[in-house]
Each structure stands twice: as structure tokens, then as C-alpha cells.
Amino acid sequence: MSTEHFELLPNAAPTATNIREDILASPGFGQYFTDHMAHVRWTLDGDWHGHSVRPYGPLTLDPAAAVLHYAQEIFEGIKAYRHADGSIWTFRPEKNAERFRRSARRLALPELSDADFIGSLKALLSQDHAWVPTPQGEADECSLYLRPFMIASETFLGVRPAQEVDYYVIASPAAAYFKGGIEPVSIWLSEHYKRAAPGGTGFAKCGGNYAASLAAQKEASANGCGQVAFLDAVENQWIEELGGMNLFFVYQDGRIATPRLTDTILEGITRDSVLTLARDEGLTPEERPISIAEWREGAANGEITEVFACGTAAVITPVGELVSDQERIRLAGDNGNPIAKRLRTKLLDLQYGRAEDTHGWLTRLV
Ligand code: PLP
Ligand code: COI
């Protein structure tokens, strides 16, 4: 896929090298942005056009732009990794492109082709490759986090699918999402708020789902927790996922289970990769309904030996405890999370080019 169909409009005042290097030494997550952004415009009568890579900067939107009122918006999250030889790669981008189209269909937005999705990442990286950090050792998970998103930019207050839409990609250098790195995190169990309901938008990566999770996230923070676990909206007993990550349970007998996909769960690309890597490791992956009672009982009787969260931002992070107003669910034994660590190392080794890409998961960007 070529980047030639993206016109280059270079930033005349890019970040000074010393400032960029200071940022890359300690980027945090989502705080700093590169010098350019990719852009493609869609109109009902003109399809996708105007492909460009242009200076990063504020958007000009009419106050009546539909996205500001009705949240017709979708996004993706994907990373660029620097390999030891300096080349830059990304992980399973065709899966993100496919999910982006699935989200677009649900939000009545136009679908973007693989060529434009992957082409936009390549075009942006052709300019901003110096912003991809170099990992310092094998435990370092620094990368350039890429955020493609699509908004309904039409100036119109009637409620119907927009006829003018903009697609952008911005990029932000990133260290570990959780400050403690792979230290186990505490998770808050949302007993009142729901993230998604059958027939709704849970499976789509749309801003509204995250807006709906924030009141619960506020409760989580107030209770010393870094993320929220959501239960299903109908029976209030089936574990779905966290606000921004999927969940896995490791059993004493070698099984590793994750909630089966429904229209209320986001189909994580890390989740799918973990299922494959777990099988490669001789574990028995299961996708099935998992109840909160199973978590409670398995933690108490030692059948569940590890719980971990996974996603592009979080990679693989062990869950130390599940906290609610009523209880604290902790695993009976603390075994140091060897499976989560092994899978995490396997995934990072692949992404950073330290292991052979036997599944064909890497795409070169630069
Ligand atoms: N679930 C939600 C709600 C998310 O926001 C994410 C992050 O993108 C995930 C799961 C994990 O998905 P992925 O592994 O594709 O990043
Ligand atoms: C991602 O992992 O890409 C997400 O969107 C999750 C969010 C918590 C940053």
C-alpha cells in the first residue's frame, strides 16, 4: 500500500530535536503529540478525497458540527514499534482496519478501505518516524501510539447520518499505560453503571462508550482502582470487560478463559493474539460466559491462579484484586503471575522484532 496518494504539507516549525528527545525519554501516555497528522475527507457526493499529511494542530469545526451534538464518532488504537535495526513496524493493522469498518457501520459512518487506513499510518510515519521511541531493554514497552478517528463534521442539527465526515490520524509517544508497569492493578467492579447493552454500541469503538464509562471510572479512582470491570446489563452477573481492556482468567489445570464475544464486548486484537499465543504455549484457551460468582469462587478455592487485562495501551497487565462496595476478591495464592508474564514477553518480543513473526502479524511502516 503506497503513501503516494497522501499529499505532504510539511510542518514549517517542527518540535526542536532536544525537546522531542526529552519527551521521548519520559512520554507518559497520551500527553504529547507529533508534528503532523493524516487527514482524509468524505462527502456523500465525493467519496473519500483530499488525502494529506499536514501540520498537527487544532481543527476548525462549526459549533453546529453533528459530532459535537450527537457523538457520531469512532476511533482506533494501534502502536508503532521500533526494531533494533531502526525499522518501524505495526501489529495486525488489517484487524484494526476491519474493526474500524465494523464501528463505522454501527455508527452510520462511511467505511474506510484497508488501503486508506494502513496508507494513512504509513504516510504519517513517513514524516514523524523520529517520534517512535527506542526501547531501553526488553521490559521497556515504549512505542508511538497511533489514534485514527472519524467524526461527523457536517454543520447540521437534524438527527441523521452526516453527509460530511473527516478522518484523521494523530500520534503520541507512549510508555506503559499503568504507572506501575506490570505491577498488578486493582479493578473496581461497577455494580450500578453499565457500559453496553444488547443491540447497543458495545462492540464498536465509539467515543460514546467511553463517555458512558466515565462516571464508573470516577468511582474507581475514588476507591484507589485504575480501571472498571463491567457486568452484563441484562442479568448483572456475566463479566464483560474493562472500560478499555479485555479480561483473561488462568486456571490451575492449564485452561485460560476470556468472556465470549457478544455485541456488548469490544473484540480486542490483543485478546485475539493472546488466544493464539496461549495455544502455542500449550494452554487450553476458552471463550465462554464467565460469571462474577465463578471469579469469586475460583479466586477463593485456588482454581483461578491469575487474572489479567489486555489491550493495545495496557499490553498485558495482571489484576491484583477486584473491589466493590460489598467485597474484595483476591486470589487465594499469589504466584507472581507467571502465565501473564510469559504471554506478555512473547507478545512484546514479536512486536519489537525479537522473535520470529510466525503468524505474519507485523507490517512494516518505515
Ligand atoms: N476493550 C475496550 C473497551 C477497549 O477500549 C480496548 C482498547 O482498544 C480493548 C478492549 C482492547 O482492544 P485491543 O487489544 O484491540 O487494543
Ligand atoms: C487502546 O488500548 O487503544 C485503548 O483505546 C484503550 C484506552 C484505555 C487508551
Side-chain angles (χ1 to χ4, degrees):
M1 255 150 273
S2 77
T3 59
E4 289 116 50
H5 61 304
F6 283 80
E7 183 191 1
L8 175 61
L9 307 166
N11 189 331
T15 310
T17 304
N18 62 326
I19 293 177
R20 187 184 67 231
E21 281 171 0
D22 281 354
I23 292 171
L24 293 187
S26 182
F29 187 90
Q31 299 170 50
Y32 303 99
F33 298 91
T34 64
D35 293 312
H36 297 87
M37 57 190 185
H39 175 230
V40 190
R41 184 156 175 72
W42 180 89
T43 47
L44 188 60
D45 52 358
D47 209 351
W48 291 105
H49 57 273
H51 302 58
S52 71
V53 171
R54 50 153 112 165
Y56 182 90
L59 308 179
T60 303
L61 275 182
D62 192 282
V67 63
L68 301 176
H69 303 270
Y70 310 126
Q72 197 189 1
E73 186 267 359
I74 57 171
F75 67 96
E76 268 303 324
I78 183 168
K79 284 173 168 173
Y81 307 91
R82 188 180 291 283
H83 287 191
D85 65 359
S87 59
I88 296 168
W89 300 73
T90 193
F91 188 70
R92 310 188 75 185
E94 61 295 330
K95 297 283 284 182
N96 294 81
E98 189 190 316
R99 186 170 69 189
F100 200 51
R101 283 194 292 273
R102 218 156 46 230
S103 300
R105 283 194 291 276
R106 181 62 184 84
L107 274 286
L109 282 161
E111 296 181 36
L112 192 75
S113 66
D114 273 16
D116 277 347
F117 186 89
I118 300 175
S120 67
L121 307 183
K122 288 185 175 173
L124 180 58
L125 265 293
S126 73
Q127 294 311 301
D128 286 345
H129 52 83
W131 285 90
V132 183
T134 302
Q136 310 295 315
E138 297 192 358
D140 190 353
E141 52 182 82
C142 66
S143 63
L144 186 65
Y145 182 80
L146 306 171
R147 172 54 65 86
F149 64 100
M150 193 191 290
I151 57 171
S153 45
E154 185 183 358
T155 302
F156 180 56
L157 288 186
V159 182
R160 60 143 170 77
Q163 298 182 357
E164 290 171 29
V165 167
D166 285 284
Y167 165 76
Y168 297 91
V169 190
I170 55 172
S172 175
Y177 187 76
F178 292 111
K179 287 198 185 70
I182 60 158
E183 284 305 302
V185 290
S186 297
I187 303 289
W188 176 250
L189 176 65
S190 177
E191 293 182 296
H192 175 63
Y193 298 113
K194 300 296 170 198
R195 173 186 174 276
T201 58
F203 70 92
K205 206 162 164 63
C206 63
N209 290 342
Y210 298 79
S213 76
L214 293 178
Q217 182 66 41
K218 211 165 143 183
E219 277 185 358
S221 302
N223 286 280
C225 295
Q227 274 277 311
V228 182
F230 289 97
L231 298 178
D232 78 286
V234 177
E235 296 182 59
N236 198 38
Q237 61 159 322
W238 304 105
I239 297 159
E240 301 214 302
E241 60 177 322
L242 306 186
M245 292 145 215
N246 295 114
L247 270 176
F248 274 88
F249 298 82
V250 181
Y251 292 77
Q252 208 173 24
D253 61 5
R255 286 175 298 133
I256 176 167
T258 190
R260 94 190 135 93
L261 295 175
T262 63
D263 67 352
T264 56
I265 294 181
L266 189 82
E267 184 174 348
I269 291 146
T270 319
R271 174 190 180 279
D272 185 72
S273 309
V274 165
L275 287 169
T276 300
L277 294 177
R279 193 171 290 114
D280 292 352
E281 286 285 294
L283 298 163
T284 308
E286 293 181 338
E287 298 175 77
R288 60 176 174 81
I290 300 169
S291 68
I292 186 70
E294 179 174 348
W295 189 341
R296 187 179 296 121
E297 285 154 26
N301 68 21
E303 255 187 69
I304 296 177
T305 53
E306 298 179 41
V307 181
F308 65 83
C310 71
T312 298
V315 191
I316 288 177
T317 305
V319 172
E321 57 177 355
L322 183 73
V323 183
S324 72
D325 277 333
Q326 326 298 329
E327 61 183 334
R328 271 175 193 270
I329 303 181
R330 283 177 193 241
L331 301 181
D334 176 7
N335 69 356
N337 300 294
I339 304 281
K341 285 181 181 157
R342 205 156 88 216
L343 291 168
R344 183 177 183 281
T345 301
K346 280 203 81 161
L347 185 63
L348 290 175
D349 281 351
L350 266 170
Q351 291 170 332
Y352 287 94
R354 296 186 292 256
E356 196 191 338
D357 179 20
T358 50
H359 298 290
W361 283 345
L362 297 189
T363 292
R364 187 163 180 176
L365 292 176
V366 179

